[in-house]
Structures are given as structure tokens and as C-alpha cells.
Amino acid sequence: MSRFQDIFLDIESDILNQQYKAGELLPSENQLSKKYNVSRETIRKALGLLLESGYISKKQGKGSIVLDVKRFNFPISGLTSYKELQDSQNISSETILVKNEIITIPEHIADFLKVSTDTEVHCIIRARKVDGEVVILDKDYLFTSVIPDVPDSEARHSLYHYIENKLNLIIGFARKEFIVEPATQEDRELMTLHNDTHVVVTRSEVHLEDATLFQYTESRHRLDKFRFVEFARRRGPVNYT
Amino acid sequence: MSRFQDIFLDIESDILNQQYKAGELLPSENQLSKKYNVSRETIRKALGLLLESGYISKKQGKGSIVLDVKRFNFPISGLTSYKELQDSQNISSETILVKNEIITIPEHIADFLKVSTDTEVHCIIRARKVDGEVVILDKDYLFTSVIPDVPDSEARHSLYHYIENKLNLIIGFARKEFIVEPATQEDRELMTLHNDTHVVVTRSEVHLEDATLFQYTESRHRLDKFRFVEFARRRGPVNYT
DNA sequence: CCGGATTTGTACGTATGTATG
DNA sequence: CCATACATACGTACAAATCCG
């Protein structure tokens, strides 16, 4: 682990332990560089991580203000798997493996991803049960060209864990979309939907670090169990085309 | 504007113009530093912005891969106002100013924000009409202690523009939450809801750079008109508490 | 209102480590 | 094993914003 990441973790825990309290300023970058015996640039990288993670806000000429973590830091943003979320929030739940087989990619997904219609994928469907009710349905399609094999045991555990720790592939980035759609027949069969007419659907295409596409995911949530929180920094008026 | 931001914009336009094509590698950091006559650190900062914005993916020992912008770069993420979104997507629409007056903060919001119940705020309600139907209802509450005055003309235009360009305040960060809720009586009165029973609600608390809270916003969307897209980078298994 | 001290922002140059091919 | 490319780290200098006397 690099020096600036260590320092990030150290200051993070100081903030969580209230050694540095919300509303106060952190020691200056020069003071911190003395404390940790590193150059100012290294401190600045650590502070950059704290900034991104929503722990501090910096202001030129003034200093780094510690934010109220309890208030802001519930980012369910970023590339987060269900398993990780569950672990981080101590939610007790159960995963039911509905399906795990190799198929040729469904046409509507091939179109969406702009890949050949005869691409081979693992089709993995998992139902997530909380308090006795199935509230999330995860449908994953993994390219066999990148991931040759997915054991049932791993599918029941965590796909990301399997990919990163067992296969040693590095996940790079994803494009993610959230919309609300009418519930399908499949939703009604596999989930506990009561009288809901709609579900929240998140679709993502996930890529490795070298930009190769390897996974398409559709996660279908019951309306009342869906919540998405993010911490956003302002970067000036939008330039996105 | 700083050097690395200039370079970011320059490379960005080269990517958009396909001078650098998707799937190819950018010139190395050393080559770029020669091209722009700056140090490698400056190039690295520019590449950092490209990375965050989803234009490239970097890999140690290999280089910086140009991503397919047309495919990934629709991030409606970050602190983006309706007006900015509309402009960036060339959506023709109309804003109806329903209300703009000073009130004491509603109790449920005071509780949510943990501020005193006698705080004074501007209450601004705007209905967003697209193709003749009101599909979004924006409810903004701005602290009078920070924003003394909000002219109707500015409310009809863009609040962020007013705050940043006219008042010269710097918006820092926000905590944002998305959930689906049953439609209220007010929703039904002000929006074109057909037979919808629910709406998507985004709530945010917006802060200035020095961390002072100055705005609470609730944006209520008709289900079929809501879509949220984000570009996410993997940062390793979640550490969020 | 001004000047000086402090603090963050930007930039440069150098050196070394690590991954890729 | 080597060349190349990105990652980390150090040190220096100056600019810009803030604060205070």
C-alpha cells in the first residue's frame, strides 16, 4: 500500500474517532507533512482522497474543513455490489441462486451492448431475500470469453469477489443507468411484489481496466426497498455533451 | 484558468473530434509533456480530469486508453441543475414559477436538516413542462441568512446561475438521495400524472465550499420521465461505514 | 485599507518503483 | 533482460486566497 493511502486511512480513522471534529480545520498541509515525515505532495494526495470520499472540504487560503461524516457519508455510489453493500450495512439477508447456465446472449442485450448476437455468456439470476421477502432480482450476464467458468458456490457468494480475488481481474469502470419500469411477469413470479405495478431497474455495463466489456447487469428492485445516495462535488456548470 | 485545465479541455476536444479514437492509446505522458511544454505532473493532472470524466482509462505500464465517449459520457451525475441539463441536452421545455416567497422552514425539513424550526427560507416551487405536460416539480428552500433575495426573474431562469454568477458564492458539495414515494395530493394537482401512484423523489442538501448549508431541494419526477445515468470507477471493495 | 503571515493551488524537475510487452 | 509507460515520492518556487493586526 502506498504512503498516501496509509495516511488517508489514518486521517480517516481520526475523523471517524472524532480526533478531528466536524466543523474544525485539519492541521495545515505543512504541519501534516511534518507529522507524517512526508513531502507536502504526498499529504495533498491523501487529502485528495478524503475530499473525494466526502470527509473534508478544502478552501484556498483557509484550510481543510472536516465534514459531518454521520450526515454525509452513506454513499451507495460507485461500483458497489450487493454483497459488499450488505456487509457494510449489516443487513441480514439470503441469496437464492435461481439460474446459472451458459447461453447465447439475448438479442435485446446484444443490441444494447452493440456486440455480436452469437456471443456466449453465463446467465446468472439471483433473488435477494430480506425479512422473508424477495425484494431484489439480480440478472448478470458474464462473457465466457473473459470469464470461462462460474461455480455455483461463487455465484451464491459474490461475483465481484470471485472476479477480483480468485481470477485476479481488475474491474475498471461501468456505465450505470437507473429507471423505473413496469413489472414483468418474471418479476411477479420471482419477487414478492404485493400490488406494485413498477420496479426500479438499474442496468450497468462493466469493463475491465483495459476497457474490455465483460459483464452486463440488470438489478430489479421493489420500489419501497430502493434507495440511492450519493455525495457529489460541484465542478462548475455542466459540460457533458 | 490553470494550465492543466487548459490541457484537459484541449485533449477532451481532441477525443470528441476523434483526433484520438476510441480504443487507441493516448500519447505517453512524456510525449504529451513535450507537446505542451509542461512537466509530466501537469499532464498527469490533466489526465486525472479525463479519467474522472470518463474519457480515458489508465493502466500502469501500458498507457491511457481512449473510451467510447458516445457510449459512456452521459453522466447526469454530480451537482447538475435542471436548467443545465436542459441546455446540455437541447430539450425544449418551459418552467412555471408556482411559488416564490419567504416562510419559516417546514418542520419535517428542519428535522431532516437538523436546523432550528424558526429558520427563514425562500420557498420556491417550479413546475417543469415538457411537450405540454408537467413532468417535474422542483421545490427549493434557500436559507435567507445566506441568500437574502431571490427575484422571480432569476427563479424562472436558473438558481445555480444566480447563486454562482450573480452572488458569486461557490457551491461546494451536496448529499443527494433518490427514492420512490407515493404521489401526494400536491403532486396530483401540479403535475400531469395520469394514473401513476408513485413519483421518483430526489432530495439534496447543498453546501457552500466552507461547508455552510444553504439549500434543501426536493425534485419530484414522473416515473416515466426519470432517468439517472452515472459513470462509476471501481475503487476496491467498499469501505463506507 | 494596507501589509505580512499563513494556507492552499499550481508548476517544475528529479529520482525510484512497478507493470507491460 | 530490457525498454517503455505509468505510479509514487521528495523538494523547491511562486501564485492566490484568507486572516489578522
Side-chain angles (χ1 to χ4, degrees):
Chain A
M1 169 115 23
S2 52
R3 198 82 187 83
F4 75 85
Q5 285 183 45
D6 281 335
I7 295 173
F8 161 71
L9 291 175
D10 198 64
I11 300 180
E12 178 189 40
S13 84
D14 280 349
I15 292 177
L16 293 173
N17 296 333
Q18 317 236 7
Q19 306 285 333
Y20 299 130
K21 286 170 191 147
E24 291 178 1
L25 295 178
L26 284 185
S28 75
E29 296 177 350
N30 281 319
Q31 286 174 305
L32 287 171
S33 66
K34 273 174 200 158
K35 169 173 177 184
Y36 289 104
N37 277 305
V38 296
S39 76
R40 196 179 140 217
E41 272 300 306
T42 304
I43 292 297
R44 283 179 60 74
K45 279 188 186 162
L47 295 187
L49 292 181
L50 290 167
L51 191 71
E52 271 186 279
S53 315
Y55 286 110
I56 64 171
S57 185
K58 306 184 73 177
K59 192 159 194 199
Q60 187 175 152
K62 192 168 183 187
S64 301
I65 304 164
V66 179
L67 301 185
D68 189 344
V69 180
K70 287 188 295 300
R71 192 147 164 187
F72 298 112
N73 214 37
F74 299 90
I76 305 188
S77 176
L79 265 183
T80 301
S81 76
Y82 174 82
K83 184 73 176 64
E84 287 166 354
L85 259 187
Q86 180 191 326
D87 292 347
S88 71
Q89 305 209 338
N90 294 317
I91 297 171
S92 77
S93 67
E94 187 191 338
T95 295
I96 300 158
L97 184 61
V98 177
K99 185 175 180 177
N100 180 12
E101 52 191 47
I102 294 178
I103 60 173
T104 57
I105 196 165
E107 208 174 315
H108 69 282
I109 299 178
D111 290 349
F112 184 77
L113 297 179
K114 288 167 200 149
V115 298
S116 160
T117 50
D118 53 10
T119 307
E120 247 192 10
V121 293
H122 298 274
C123 171
I124 299 167
I125 301 183
R126 293 172 293 179
R128 315 292 196 171
K129 194 186 258 190
V130 177
D131 296 335
E133 296 188 331
V134 175
V135 295
I136 300 175
L137 193 64
D138 279 343
K139 303 170 75 171
D140 289 273
Y141 301 87
L142 299 166
F143 288 31
T144 55
S145 52
V146 183
I147 320 266
D149 194 49
V150 180
D152 281 2
S153 56
E154 300 290 349
R156 260 185 281 265
H157 179 220
S158 167
L159 279 182
Y160 276 171
H161 181 268
Y162 174 60
I163 292 166
E164 295 195 320
N165 299 63
K166 302 278 176 81
L167 301 182
N168 284 314
L169 296 172
I170 299 179
I171 297 174
F173 57 93
R175 183 183 171 284
K176 228 172 186 175
E177 160 185 270
F178 300 78
I179 49 179
V180 180
E181 290 187 354
T184 64
Q185 185 58 34
E186 185 182 50
D187 292 333
R188 268 182 280 272
E189 280 165 12
L190 295 174
M191 301 172 74
T192 316
L193 277 191
H194 305 309
N195 292 323
D196 292 355
T197 54
H198 290 74
V199 292
V200 179
V201 181
T202 82
R203 298 197 163 84
S204 25
E205 350 175 356
V206 190
H207 301 248
L208 297 178
E209 221 184 6
D210 68 356
T212 59
L213 175 63
F214 78 99
Q215 177 185 21
Y216 168 83
T217 295
E218 204 175 284
S219 192
R220 310 177 69 86
H221 303 247
R222 201 169 78 188
L223 293 187
D224 60 316
K225 291 298 182 184
F226 179 81
R227 179 160 173 262
F228 180 78
V229 182
E230 80 164 355
F231 178 86
R233 304 208 84 85
R234 177 75 168 166
R235 285 183 256 239
V238 178
N239 45 353
Y240 316 124
T241 304
Chain B
M1 171 110 27
S2 53
R3 198 80 187 87
F4 75 86
Q5 286 183 44
D6 280 335
I7 295 172
F8 161 70
L9 291 175
D10 197 64
I11 299 179
E12 178 189 41
S13 84
D14 280 349
I15 292 177
L16 293 173
N17 297 333
Q18 316 237 10
Q19 304 287 332
Y20 299 131
K21 286 171 190 145
E24 292 179 359
L25 294 178
L26 284 185
S28 75
E29 297 177 349
N30 282 319
Q31 288 174 304
L32 288 171
S33 66
K34 273 172 199 156
K35 168 172 178 185
Y36 289 103
N37 277 304
V38 295
S39 76
R40 198 180 138 216
E41 271 302 303
T42 305
I43 293 295
R44 283 178 60 74
K45 279 187 188 166
L47 296 186
L49 292 181
L50 291 167
L51 190 73
E52 272 186 278
S53 315
Y55 287 110
I56 63 171
S57 184
K58 306 184 74 177
K59 190 158 193 200
Q60 189 176 138
K62 190 167 184 190
S64 301
I65 304 163
V66 179
L67 302 184
D68 189 345
V69 179
K70 289 188 294 298
R71 190 147 166 189
F72 299 113
N73 213 36
F74 301 89
I76 306 191
S77 175
L79 265 184
T80 300
S81 76
Y82 173 83
K83 183 75 177 65
E84 286 167 355
L85 260 187
Q86 180 191 327
D87 292 347
S88 72
Q89 305 209 338
N90 293 319
I91 296 172
S92 78
S93 67
E94 188 191 339
T95 294
I96 301 158
L97 184 60
V98 177
K99 186 174 178 177
N100 180 11
E101 52 191 48
I102 295 179
I103 59 172
T104 57
I105 196 165
E107 207 173 318
H108 69 281
I109 299 178
D111 290 349
F112 184 76
L113 298 179
K114 289 168 198 147
V115 298
S116 160
T117 50
D118 53 10
T119 307
E120 249 193 6
V121 292
H122 298 274
C123 170
I124 299 168
I125 300 183
R126 293 173 294 180
R128 315 291 197 172
K129 194 185 258 189
V130 178
D131 296 336
E133 296 188 333
V134 175
V135 294
I136 300 175
L137 193 62
D138 279 342
K139 302 170 75 172
D140 289 272
Y141 301 86
L142 299 166
F143 289 31
T144 55
S145 53
V146 182
I147 319 268
D149 193 50
V150 182
D152 280 2
S153 56
E154 299 291 348
R156 261 185 281 266
H157 179 220
S158 166
L159 280 182
Y160 277 171
H161 181 269
Y162 174 60
I163 292 165
E164 295 194 320
N165 299 58
K166 301 281 175 81
L167 302 183
N168 284 312
L169 296 173
I170 299 178
I171 297 173
F173 57 93
R175 183 182 170 284
K176 229 171 183 175
E177 161 185 272
F178 301 78
I179 48 179
V180 180
E181 291 187 354
T184 65
Q185 185 58 32
E186 184 183 51
D187 291 335
R188 266 182 278 272
E189 281 166 11
L190 296 174
M191 299 171 75
T192 316
L193 277 191
H194 306 310
N195 292 324
D196 293 355
T197 54
H198 290 73
V199 292
V200 179
V201 181
T202 82
R203 297 197 164 81
S204 25
E205 350 175 354
V206 190
H207 300 248
L208 297 178
E209 221 184 6
D210 68 356
T212 58
L213 174 63
F214 78 99
Q215 178 185 21
Y216 168 82
T217 295
E218 204 175 284
S219 192
R220 310 178 70 85
H221 304 246
R222 201 169 78 187
L223 292 187
D224 60 314
K225 291 297 183 184
F226 179 81
R227 178 159 173 261
F228 180 78
V229 182
E230 79 165 354
F231 178 85
R233 302 208 84 84
R234 177 77 168 163
R235 284 183 255 243
V238 179
N239 45 353
Y240 314 125
T241 305

